[in-house]
Amino acid sequence: MKTDIEIAQHAQKQMKPIVEIGAKLGIPAESLLPYGHYKAKISATYKNSVSKPAAKVILVTAISPTPAGEGKTTVSVGLGDALAKLGKKTVICLREPSLGPVFGVKGGAAGGGYAQIIPMEDINLHFTGDLHAITSANNLLAALLDNHIHQGNILNIDPRQVVYRRAIDMNDRQLRFLTSGLGGKTNGIPREDGFDITAASEVMATFCLSRNLADLKENLSRIVVAYTYDGKPITAGDLQAQGAMAVLLKEAFDPNLVQTLEGTPAIIHGGPFADIAHGCNTIAATSLAMELGDYVVTEAGFGADLGAEKFINIKCRKMGLNPSATVLVASIRALKYHGGVDKAN
């Protein structure tokens, strides 16, 4: 039996150029910003000029997952391929993987078996650099905050009440809680600090819940980073950081277009975790997919009590979206695991 990676690598010989995938959705080549031959960003300036009814959105969620995951992405890809095989104009809309889970227990996040999105290795690694851009924007704000305190602290920030953390796209427990600013007065103010994984950062959640760049800039400005000595909240806007952060995120905000093994278009954009954030791909990607296709298959992370609840209560409210159906993944393996059978069996 072939492994997932063997299937994906073999299928790469039959991959269609990304301009052909875009053409399936009516996207002209000049509105695609290629990253090689098989992945591209869709320009934020592109708008579908063809008037059509709103697409039907299908949410894929799951019962409480096992340590190995429950297969939401595989089901999402398979369902999208099946609808396309029936002649339906279908777009699959998923999150981008974080490097932490990719190199951890969970592994990749591009599906499995013959229900995969390719180029699988690219998607699971650096892809088009979106998570790196989000990491940089997050850490720019952290640097501006600490520099403001160092340079005189006009805003009267209490270093003991800094609530904003740095980010890294990796599982690194050594960096979760630490003391920073050591090494003398030129190296900052000593204080407790730490790193979150990028997928759990507030910038990631903000990025995914913003409609456009102007909305993103406004939302970034409202991130609370610290409190003053008299308890007043300090925001990124108070530090005038939102413009510089939005510039770092400008290209990342364009949704990414790739394809399944069957050649079904897939938009992969944004990757918040569902235990700490809302666990859905970007509003920008879902909105665009609804313009392009007749059916949009999307997923929400973790179990239904996390991702699906947040999809309905946060993303749908923000978008004014009413999904047409929900698919609940419930495997025999998970039922056994939650019934008390040990993982090895």
Side-chain angles (χ1 to χ4, degrees):
M1 181 183 293
K2 289 183 179 179
T3 63
D4 289 351
I5 193 166
E6 287 171 340
I7 291 169
Q9 288 174 342
H10 178 75
Q12 287 180 5
K13 300 169 187 174
Q14 287 84 43
M15 286 173 67
K16 295 177 174 65
I18 200 63
V19 290
E20 289 186 23
I21 302 300
K24 285 187 176 185
L25 300 175
I27 305 173
E30 58 268 23
S31 293
L32 293 175
L33 311 171
Y35 280 64
H37 299 294
Y38 305 111
K39 52 186 176 177
K41 283 192 166 290
I42 305 169
S43 172
T45 60
Y46 172 73
K47 291 292 178 188
N48 184 12
S49 58
V50 179
S51 178
K52 70 173 198 60
K56 294 184 185 299
V57 175
I58 302 166
L59 172 67
V60 177
T61 183
I63 63 170
S64 299
T66 66
E70 209 19 34
K72 293 185 303 296
T73 304
T74 304
V75 170
S76 298
V77 176
L79 178 57
D81 281 339
L83 286 167
K85 198 79 170 175
L86 290 170
K88 310 298 183 183
K89 193 175 183 183
T90 305
V91 185
I92 298 168
C93 235
L94 302 175
R95 294 176 297 165
E96 298 181 55
S98 163
L99 286 179
V102 166
F103 287 107
V105 172
K106 186 174 181 292
Y114 289 92
Q116 289 194 64
I117 297 175
I118 46 178
M120 184 263 279
E121 297 103 312
D122 293 8
I123 294 165
N124 280 323
L125 298 176
H126 303 286
F127 201 19
T128 57
D130 293 351
L131 267 76
H132 298 306
I134 290 166
T135 302
S136 295
N138 183 98
N139 292 342
L140 171 64
L141 177 54
L144 290 172
L145 169 62
D146 283 316
N147 191 56
H148 178 90
I149 297 171
H150 176 77
Q151 297 291 351
N153 198 7
I154 295 170
L155 292 173
N156 198 33
I157 295 168
D158 182 354
R160 298 165 303 176
Q161 295 192 76
V162 172
V163 295
Y164 190 77
R165 291 161 60 86
R166 287 163 165 80
I168 183 172
D169 188 33
M170 190 57 61
N171 297 335
D172 192 341
R173 68 180 69 251
Q174 197 72 13
L175 295 179
R176 291 176 187 172
F177 298 97
L178 48 85
T179 302
S180 65
L182 303 179
K185 66 179 183 178
T186 61
N187 293 313
I189 306 294
R191 66 173 182 84
E192 291 183 352
D193 202 352
F195 284 74
D196 292 324
I197 194 166
T198 300
S201 68
E202 193 163 354
V203 173
M204 173 64 86
T206 304
F207 179 90
C208 292
L209 287 171
S210 299
R211 298 175 185 277
N212 51 48
L213 282 171
D215 189 36
L216 173 64
K217 189 175 175 181
E218 174 61 28
N219 292 338
L220 289 170
S221 75
R222 295 201 293 267
I223 293 176
V224 174
V225 295
Y227 292 85
T228 64
Y229 284 101
D230 54 3
K232 176 195 169 193
I234 298 296
T235 65
D238 293 324
L239 293 167
Q240 300 178 35
Q242 69 271 23
M245 294 170 73
V247 166
L248 284 176
L249 296 170
K250 179 172 66 71
E251 291 183 3
F253 201 74
D254 293 337
N256 306 297
L257 179 66
V258 283
Q259 62 190 289
T260 71
L261 294 176
E262 299 284 335
T264 305
I267 296 177
I268 299 186
H269 197 220
F273 288 163
D275 53 344
I276 196 73
H278 62 289
C280 315
N281 63 277
T282 65
I283 281 179
T286 303
S287 300
L288 179 60
M290 291 174 69
E291 285 186 33
L292 295 170
D294 297 326
Y295 291 85
V296 175
V297 180
T298 190
E299 70 173 9
F302 286 74
D305 56 339
L306 284 171
E309 251 189 55
K310 292 176 179 180
F311 179 90
I312 299 296
N313 292 332
I314 299 174
K315 182 171 179 176
C316 287
R317 287 181 181 183
K318 180 82 172 175
M319 286 185 66
L321 169 66
N322 290 305
S324 298
T326 297
V327 175
L328 181 70
V329 180
S331 69
I332 298 297
R333 179 178 65 180
L335 292 170
K336 287 181 178 180
Y337 180 81
H338 297 307
V341 179
D342 63 78
K343 183 181 174 183
N345 293 311

